[in-house]
Every structure is written in C-alpha cells, then in structure tokens.
Amino acid sequence: MNNVWQVVVDSFPQLLSRGLLMTIPLTLISFAIALVIAVVVALVQFARIPVLRQICRFYIWVIRGTPLLVQLYVIFFGLPSIGVNIDAFPAAVLVFSINEGAYAAETIRGALESVPSGQMEAGRCVGMSYVQIMWHVLLPQTFRTAFPALGNELISMVKDTSLAANITVTEMFFQAQRIAGRTYQTMALYLEVAVIYLIFSTVLSLLQRFGEKKLSVYGKR
C-alpha cells in the first residue's frame, strides 16, 4: 500500500504538468479553431448558399457519423500512406477542430435560427448591411443562446483529448500510461488521472456558470 501511495504522490506533478502544458492547450487551440469553422458553416447554412450549403451538410454528416478515434487514425496513420505526414500534436489539433466544428456548427445554426426573423428586418429598416446585421444583431444573440451548449462541448473536448494518446501525443493520459507501464500500478494511476480530468472539468463548469450569469445580466439590459 505504501508503494502505491508513493507512486501516486510522485506521479501527480508529472500528470498535472502534462495536463496543463498539453491537454489544456490542445483543448483550447482546437476549440478556438472549431468555433471559427462552426460559425462559417452555420452562416453558410443559415444563408442557404447553393452548393456550399450542401457541402456543409455533407461535412457535418460525415464527421458526426464517424468515430473520433477513427478520424484520428485516418489523419495520423492513414495520410502518410499517400505521402502526407503530420506530426502528432498538429494532427490532433486538426482532427479535434474539424470534429468539434461539425457539432458546434449545428449548435450555432440552431441558436441562429431561434433569433426572431424580425431582428433581420429591423436591421434592414435602419439601413444596416447584411454583414452588419449578422455581426451586431444576430451573432451576439446567437452566442448568448448557444453559450451553455458550447460550454458543455468544451468540457467534453477536455475528456476527448485523452484519445490523442493513441497517436502518441504526450498529453496527460499518455503520461499515465507511461508511468503505469513502468510501475504496474494501473488502477491507482488511472484513477488519479481520472480525478485530474474531473478537476479540469469542474473548473470549466464553474467558469461556464459564471459566464452564463454574466450573459443573462447583459441580456436583460
């Protein structure tokens, strides 16, 4: 038992540092890019742009219909077979961004369509262009509506980054596997890394609630 606790204590700084230096950056970078993708895809669908709208629907259909782990393998292990080599971290960012972009696009599209159509008409009446209406009127309301769902997706992505260990990204779970292979204390180490993921998720949940309160106050003004 003493040996188990010693392994847990010694491994905690290593796991936490991998979480702070790799897991969290991987999550935030991927989510930021995913939001850009999601807004573009959602706006294309909302505007019903011919051809581009069908391409966006196809993208969402493919990404949401295939497992994230398979997408990681296709990019990291599959592309080299056709001469395209991507390092592990950029490959993980690319896959997580594309994957989350599809889900977030539907969240934003739904929120965008929930804004009363009269908002668009009111903007036109005061002489605003389509871009101005979207930027100053519709998108702010859209993000207030979509914020809780997007917050949940961010928390989910923190946990999904553990799949990056399968393509050799040295994030927190990969580090736990390394230590477990050396010490054979698999149960203790995997429970320890689960607790750290729980801590990260809890912090993000608290930030999400704080953001929701701020937005609700802003929305009442």
Side-chain angles (χ1 to χ4, degrees):
M1 181 62 70
N2 290 335
N3 183 50
V4 173
W5 279 112
Q6 189 62 47
V7 170
V8 169
V9 171
D10 291 344
S11 63
F12 184 81
Q14 301 177 54
L15 296 177
L16 184 60
S17 65
R18 283 292 90 192
L20 294 174
L21 297 176
M22 188 63 72
T23 299
I24 296 301
L26 174 60
T27 301
L28 295 180
I29 294 171
S30 300
F31 195 76
I33 297 173
L35 282 182
V36 175
I37 295 172
V39 169
V40 172
V41 172
L43 289 177
V44 167
Q45 293 185 89
F46 182 76
R48 290 178 166 78
I49 302 174
V51 182
L52 287 180
R53 183 169 182 261
Q54 281 68 39
I55 292 174
C56 289
R57 293 307 305 168
F58 180 77
Y59 154 67
I60 293 171
W61 172 64
V62 171
I63 296 302
R64 295 204 306 173
T66 55
L68 176 56
L69 183 59
V70 172
Q71 295 166 17
L72 283 167
Y73 272 57
V74 167
I75 296 300
F76 187 70
F77 295 113
L79 289 183
S81 65
I82 59 174
V84 180
N85 293 284
I86 305 177
D87 291 338
F89 187 82
V93 169
L94 176 63
V95 173
F96 286 127
S97 300
I98 293 174
N99 181 273
E100 181 57 35
Y103 288 93
E106 288 296 271
T107 299
I108 294 173
R109 180 187 61 80
L112 192 58
E113 292 179 351
S114 70
V115 178
S117 58
Q119 299 282 340
M120 178 72 75
E121 296 170 4
R124 287 171 177 162
C125 288
V126 297
M128 298 176 71
S129 67
Y130 181 82
V131 173
Q132 288 175 322
I133 295 171
M134 293 303 301
W135 184 255
H136 295 289
V137 180
L138 296 190
L139 283 180
Q141 296 180 66
T142 295
F143 276 104
R144 279 203 300 272
T145 302
F147 186 83
L150 292 175
N152 289 336
E153 290 172 15
L154 175 61
I155 294 170
S156 180
M157 181 181 277
V158 171
K159 295 173 288 183
D160 287 343
T161 56
S162 61
L163 293 174
N166 290 278
I167 61 170
T168 71
V169 175
T170 56
E171 47 72 66
M172 190 163 56
F173 185 62
F174 187 86
Q175 186 67 22
Q177 289 178 311
R178 277 181 168 177
I179 300 173
R182 187 173 67 249
T183 63
Y184 301 102
Q185 300 295 342
T186 53
M187 175 63 79
L189 285 164
Y190 291 153
L191 286 175
E192 183 178 25
V193 79
V195 169
I196 298 176
Y197 276 116
L198 181 60
I199 292 171
F200 287 165
S201 298
T202 301
V203 171
L204 289 174
S205 296
L206 292 174
L207 291 174
Q208 178 187 2
R209 291 177 187 175
F210 176 78
E212 288 177 12
K213 289 180 181 178
K214 287 294 184 180
L215 287 174
S216 65
V217 171
Y218 175 79
K220 292 177 182 178
R221 292 177 181 176

